Amino acid sequence: MYFPLLLTLQASWLAVCQATQHYPTAWGHYDMCKSHGYTDDGPTWYYMACQPEAADMTKYLKVTLDPPNITCGDPPETYCALENPYMCNNECDAATEELAHPPELMFDFEGRNPTTFWQSTSWRKYPKALAVNITLSWNKTIELTDDIVITFESGRPEQMVLEKSLDYGRTWQPYQFYATDCLDAFTMEPKTMRDITQHTLLDIICTEEYSRGYVWKNDKAVRFEIKDRFALFAGPKLHNMASLYGQLDTTKNLRDFFTITDLRIRLLRPATGATMVDENNLSRYFYAISDIKVNGRCKCNLHANSCVFDKEKLTCECEHNTTGPDCGRCKRNYQARAWSAGSYLPIPKGTANICLQNNVGPVKCKCNTYGSEANSCNGTGNCICKEGATGAQCHECLPGYLWDDGCKSRVCDNELLRCQNGGTCVNNVRCNCPQDYTGLLCEKRRCENEPGGCGGPDSGQASLRAPALILLLLLSAMGPKLLVEICWIL
C-alpha cells in the first residue's frame, strides 16, 4: 500500500529538482525520419516528419543567359571605370583564361585575389536597353532557408527584377522589384522590409534600398530578405520556431512563397553613377556579378532527411513508403492511406503521415463507423474513408482535421489557419484557445510565459508542480546540502 505513495513522492522530488534547473528550449530540426523501439508486441519503428539539411544550392544549379551572347570577350573589349571615364584598363577577352569572365564565375569560390566575376558586354547599343536575363534552374523543387544575395562588381543596377518559378520555368512571378526610382521605373511606391508585416508578407514590393549605383565601391550586394520574413513569425532571433512551423504547416500560400524550382534575375538598366549617360564613354556601363548566394533544401514534403545529387539531378531519398522526386506520392502497393505531406506539428517531432501497405487478399475487417462510408471493407479489402479521414480503418485524421465523431475540418479563414490543442474558430478570423494554451493558433502552452516555465519537457510534471513545491517548503529546514544530495540520488 506504500508503493504508490513512494512513486508519488519520488515524482514530486524529481519535479522539485527539475524546477531548480534551466533547460534550453530546443525545437526539432526534423532530421530523423524514424527510430527503432519496442512495444508489447515486439520491435517496431516510430516515424517522424523529416527534411534534408539546408545547403548551398548554387552547387547544383544550371545557369542560362538571355541573350546567349551577352557575356563580354567575343570580340575582346576594353572597359572604363564607372567613377573615372579616363581609366580604361580593364580588358575582357573570352579566348584568354586570365581575361575571360564566363557565367560560372558567379558561383566559384569567393576570397580570391583578384576577384573573379561574370561580366556582360558594355552598353555600346545605347539608347537601346541593356537587358539581361540570368536564369538559375535546379530541375527540382527547392525550399529557401536564407537570404538570396547577389554581389555586383560594376555598381548595383538601377533597375532590376527578381522572379521565381514554381513550375520549372513555364510561368514566372516577381519576388521583388529594385530601382533607384520605383515610381518612374515600375509605377510602384518604394518600400523596404521594415514596411512588411505578417499580413503583408506575400506582397510584392519595389525597393530603392539596393539600387544606389554611385557608391558602388562600398555597397555591392542586392538582397532578397528571407530570414527577416521568417522573423515576422519566429521573432528577431528566430527563437520561436514553433510559431513559424505552425504557420508553414497550415498556410499553403506561405509555404509556396518560400518554394521555387527556378530563379530569374532580370537586369534592366546598369549603374550609371550620374544623372545622365555619357554617350561618349559607353564602355563605362555594363553588368558584373562576382557572387550569388542561394541557400535552401530539397523539398521532400517532410518525407526524407537526405537529398542526393546524381547524374546532374537532385532527388529526395524518400522514407515513409513514399516515392517521386519530391516524395509526392505513395509507393506502389502502399495506397491504403491517401498520400499526404508530413506535418511539422506537433513540435518537436511532427507527424509522418506515412503511406500504409494495401491489404492483400480477402479480409473479415471492421471500418470505423464515423470515419468510413461503410462498416466493412470493399472487395479489395480497403475501407472507403470519408473526407478528412485516413488509416486502414478510417480511424485517423489528415492534417487540418480533428477527430470529433469523424474528422471535422478546422478552417479559420481563406489561408486555412487551423486552431490547435482544442481551440475553436471565432468569426472565421481567430482562435478561441483553451485556458492552458495561447498563441495565434493556440500552439503555445500558457505556462511557457510564466516564471519557471512548464516544469520541463514532460507536460505530465505540471500536475506534480504544486505538491512538489509544498514538499520543497516543508523540507527546506533540512538545509540546501541535504536537498542537493537527495536530488543527486534521484
Side-chain angles (χ1 to χ4, degrees), residues 56 58 106 110 146-151 291-295:
D56 177 7
T58 61
M106 291 186 277
E110 285 301 297
D146 207 339
D147 295 358
I148 299 170
V149 184
I150 307 162
T151 304
D291 188 47
I292 298 179
K293 293 190 186 310
V294 183
N295 285 291

Side-chain angles (χ1 to χ4, degrees), residues 42-230:
T44 188
W45 287 105
Y46 294 103
Y47 295 92
M48 292 85 75
C50 52
Q51 62 186 359
E53 290 187 3
D56 177 7
M57 301 309 297
T58 61
K59 298 177 181 178
Y60 313 110
L61 60 77
K62 176 185 177 183
V63 58
T64 55
L65 300 182
D66 180 30
N69 61 345
I70 198 65
T71 301
C72 69
D74 187 17
E77 193 172 352
T78 301
Y79 291 81
C80 301
L82 178 63
E83 75 278 12
N84 188 346
Y86 305 104
M87 187 184 294
C88 302
N89 55 0
N90 297 320
E91 187 177 357
C92 182
D93 184 355
T96 305
E97 183 176 356
E98 294 79 8
L99 301 176
H101 296 283
E104 53 265 29
L105 296 184
M106 291 186 277
F107 313 102
D108 65 338
F109 174 72
E110 285 301 297
R112 295 182 182 179
N113 190 13
T115 302
T116 57
F117 51 90
W118 164 81
Q119 185 168 317
S120 74
T121 58
S122 65
W123 205 356
R124 55 197 177 205
K125 294 183 180 179
Y126 180 84
K128 181 181 178 181
L130 182 60
V132 183
N133 287 344
I134 303 173
T135 304
L136 315 180
S137 303
W138 283 272
N139 195 28
K140 173 75 180 74
T141 310
I142 304 297
E143 296 173 327
L144 299 173
T145 59
D146 207 339
D147 295 358
I148 299 170
V149 184
I150 307 162
T151 304
F152 288 85
E153 287 297 312
S154 61
R156 299 183 289 192
E158 294 182 0
Q159 294 178 15
M160 176 185 129
V161 185
L162 181 65
E163 298 178 323
K164 62 170 286 189
S165 176
L166 260 174
D167 55 11
Y168 306 96
R170 287 187 287 273
T171 61
W172 295 90
Q173 54 185 297
Y175 247 158
Q176 194 149 290
F177 294 86
Y178 303 81
T180 53
D181 188 331
C182 287
L183 277 174
D184 179 65
F186 302 113
T187 63
M188 298 174 69
E189 290 285 346
K191 293 185 179 180
T192 68
M193 185 61 213
R194 293 182 291 275
D195 299 312
I196 296 178
T197 68
Q198 288 186 6
H199 301 292
T200 62
L201 188 149
L202 304 182
D203 289 358
I204 310 302
I205 68 169
C206 178
T207 180
E208 298 175 356
E209 192 171 10
Y210 301 104
S211 302
R212 299 182 300 272
Y214 194 63
V215 289
W216 67 278
K217 275 198 168 182
N218 298 321
D219 299 324
K220 295 184 175 183
V222 171
R223 187 177 294 268
F224 180 68
E225 303 92 343
I226 294 292
K227 280 197 169 179
D228 285 348
R229 287 171 164 83
F230 287 162

Side-chain angles (χ1 to χ4, degrees), residues 35-47:
S35 63
H36 197 253
Y38 293 90
T39 66
D40 293 341
D41 297 326
T44 188
W45 287 105
Y46 294 103
Y47 295 92

Side-chain angles (χ1 to χ4, degrees), residues 56 214 246 254 272 305 401 484:
D56 177 7
Y214 194 63
L254 189 64
T272 61
N305 63 3
Y401 293 85
V484 170

Side-chain angles (χ1 to χ4, degrees), residues 232-244:
L232 291 174
F233 297 104
K237 296 184 179 180
L238 303 183
H239 63 280
N240 187 9
M241 293 301 290
S243 177
L244 175 62

Side-chain angles (χ1 to χ4, degrees), residues 240-293:
N240 187 9
M241 293 301 290
S243 177
L244 175 62
Y245 284 146
Q247 292 289 339
L248 292 174
D249 203 67
T250 58
T251 313
K252 182 179 184 302
N253 288 348
L254 189 64
R255 290 198 306 272
D256 287 348
F257 185 83
F258 298 110
T259 303
I260 61 172
T261 58
D262 306 77
L263 280 174
R264 185 162 68 185
I265 305 164
R266 292 181 56 208
L267 304 173
L268 303 178
R269 182 181 175 89
T272 61
T275 56
M276 299 292 293
V277 173
D278 185 355
E279 298 185 38
N280 297 319
N281 288 285
L282 292 174
S283 58
R284 297 172 61 191
Y285 312 118
F286 54 91
Y287 304 108
I289 297 177
S290 62
D291 188 47
I292 298 179
K293 293 190 186 310

Side-chain angles (χ1 to χ4, degrees), residues 236-385:
K237 296 184 179 180
L238 303 183
H239 63 280
N240 187 9
M241 293 301 290
S243 177
L244 175 62
Y245 284 146
Q247 292 289 339
L248 292 174
D249 203 67
T250 58
T251 313
K252 182 179 184 302
N253 288 348
L254 189 64
R255 290 198 306 272
D256 287 348
F257 185 83
F258 298 110
T259 303
I260 61 172
T261 58
D262 306 77
L263 280 174
R264 185 162 68 185
I265 305 164
R266 292 181 56 208
L267 304 173
L268 303 178
R269 182 181 175 89
T272 61
T275 56
M276 299 292 293
V277 173
D278 185 355
E279 298 185 38
N280 297 319
N281 288 285
L282 292 174
S283 58
R284 297 172 61 191
Y285 312 118
F286 54 91
Y287 304 108
I289 297 177
S290 62
D291 188 47
I292 298 179
K293 293 190 186 310
V294 183
N295 285 291
R297 62 168 55 94
C298 291
K299 179 180 180 180
C300 301
N301 285 297
L302 296 181
H303 287 313
N305 63 3
S306 61
C307 188
V308 297
F309 187 65
D310 185 39
K311 298 179 181 178
E312 303 298 311
K313 188 175 182 180
L314 283 167
T315 305
C316 299
E317 293 195 312
C318 299
E319 302 272 2
H320 305 159
N321 302 322
T322 62
T323 188
D326 298 345
C327 306
R329 62 181 187 273
C330 291
K331 291 168 60 175
R332 185 178 180 184
N333 297 325
Y334 285 85
Q335 290 94 17
R337 165 191 282 169
W339 180 91
S340 177
S343 170
Y344 288 105
L345 304 176
I347 289 173
K349 294 183 178 181
T351 307
N353 294 327
I354 64 171
C355 294
L356 299 181
Q357 189 172 15
N358 296 348
N359 293 320
V360 180
V363 179
K364 300 291 253 173
C365 66
K366 184 176 181 180
C367 301
N368 185 276
T369 304
Y370 298 104
S372 65
E373 299 289 353
N375 292 335
S376 58
C377 297
N378 60 14
T380 61
N382 295 316
C383 297
I384 306 300
C385 297

